[in-house]
Amino acid sequence: MSSPWDQRYLGEEYVFGTEPNEFIRRIRPYLPSSGNALDLATGEGRNAVFLAECGLDTEGVDLSAVGLEKAAKLAAERGVNISLRQADLLGLDLPPQSHDVITSVFCHFTEPDRSRFSQRIIAALKPNGLFAGVFYHPNQIANGTGGPSDPAMLGTLEEMQAALDGLEWLIAEHRDHELNEGNRHVGMSSVVYLLGRKAV
């Protein structure tokens, strides 16, 4: 199973750095002190490793075997255990009410896949489970500082909230600000940030 990302992840350098996305770091006060977490499109593992450092039993899923190898290396260097699975997210087995936390950072789909997958994410959360999502806004294309070039893969705040209908929003915002994550996400960026809780 190969991925276009395999080529991007080759080499010793971590393409997006080894620190978690700033929003994932920001939501730490909301995270449970124990439980299980799933990091979608984990890439080289920076966010999955952070969740494990927060005490969560964490699995990272990605299509890129190269990225997953680097994720395993990063976890070992940080002294945490994470599970890693190579899989296509749209075909991923997501058992109902199986996760306390699910994160998705810069993972984009066109409709109708976006809404279908988003609803599967919500179904996979336990009652009171949290979903944290970071997505590029359509305005990002003009910035040219990362993300898909196909506007159909990007959503506004309202569109992303609609796709994830069924969550209680703890944070829902669209921000234009500077990113500095490795060598791929650098400069002025237009980003949607969402943190939602599943109702009991």
Side-chain angles (χ1 to χ4, degrees):
M1 192 185 303
S2 63
S3 163
W5 285 89
D6 286 341
Q7 195 66 34
R8 295 189 194 181
Y9 289 144
L10 287 174
E12 292 296 312
E13 184 179 12
Y14 281 73
V15 174
F16 300 109
T18 56
E19 295 304 308
N21 174 268
E22 66 168 44
F23 184 68
I24 301 303
R25 189 195 300 276
R26 176 179 153 196
I27 66 166
R28 182 167 192 168
Y30 294 90
L31 296 176
S33 57
S34 62
N36 65 334
L38 176 66
D39 184 42
L40 301 169
T42 199
E44 298 166 308
R46 62 193 178 113
N47 297 307
V49 166
F50 176 77
L51 293 170
E53 289 174 333
C54 293
L56 297 170
D57 182 8
T58 305
E59 179 180 35
V61 180
D62 202 275
L63 192 57
S64 171
V66 178
L68 293 174
E69 286 176 15
K70 293 172 79 173
K73 180 182 175 185
L74 181 62
E77 289 175 353
R78 295 283 179 85
V80 296
N81 292 314
I82 59 174
S83 301
L84 295 166
R85 182 173 14 157
Q86 185 181 16
D88 181 344
L89 292 185
L90 293 180
L92 185 65
D93 180 31
L94 286 171
Q97 299 192 17
S98 54
H99 289 84
D100 297 288
V101 177
I102 298 178
T103 54
S104 177
V105 176
F106 295 127
C107 177
H108 303 90
F109 297 108
T110 58
E111 290 290 6
D113 287 336
R114 176 194 298 154
S115 291
R116 288 174 182 163
F117 189 57
S118 295
Q119 289 303 306
R120 290 181 60 218
I121 289 172
I122 295 172
L125 287 172
K126 297 177 184 177
N128 280 322
L130 295 174
F131 171 74
V134 178
F135 309 97
Y136 279 123
H137 186 278
N139 292 351
Q140 173 64 10
I141 291 177
N143 290 326
T145 54
S149 57
D150 179 2
M153 297 187 74
L154 308 179
T156 64
L157 174 61
E158 294 76 18
E159 287 167 344
M160 297 311 300
Q161 286 180 285
L164 289 153
D165 184 48
L167 295 176
E168 170 198 355
W169 297 112
L170 305 175
I171 301 173
E173 60 190 30
H174 167 219
R175 292 172 56 205
D176 291 287
H177 66 118
E178 295 277 340
L179 283 186
N180 185 15
E181 300 183 335
N183 60 27
R184 301 285 304 192
H185 291 164
V186 180
M188 183 56 67
S189 304
S190 190
V191 188
V192 171
Y193 295 105
L194 293 171
L195 178 65
R197 175 181 287 131
K198 184 176 180 176
V200 176

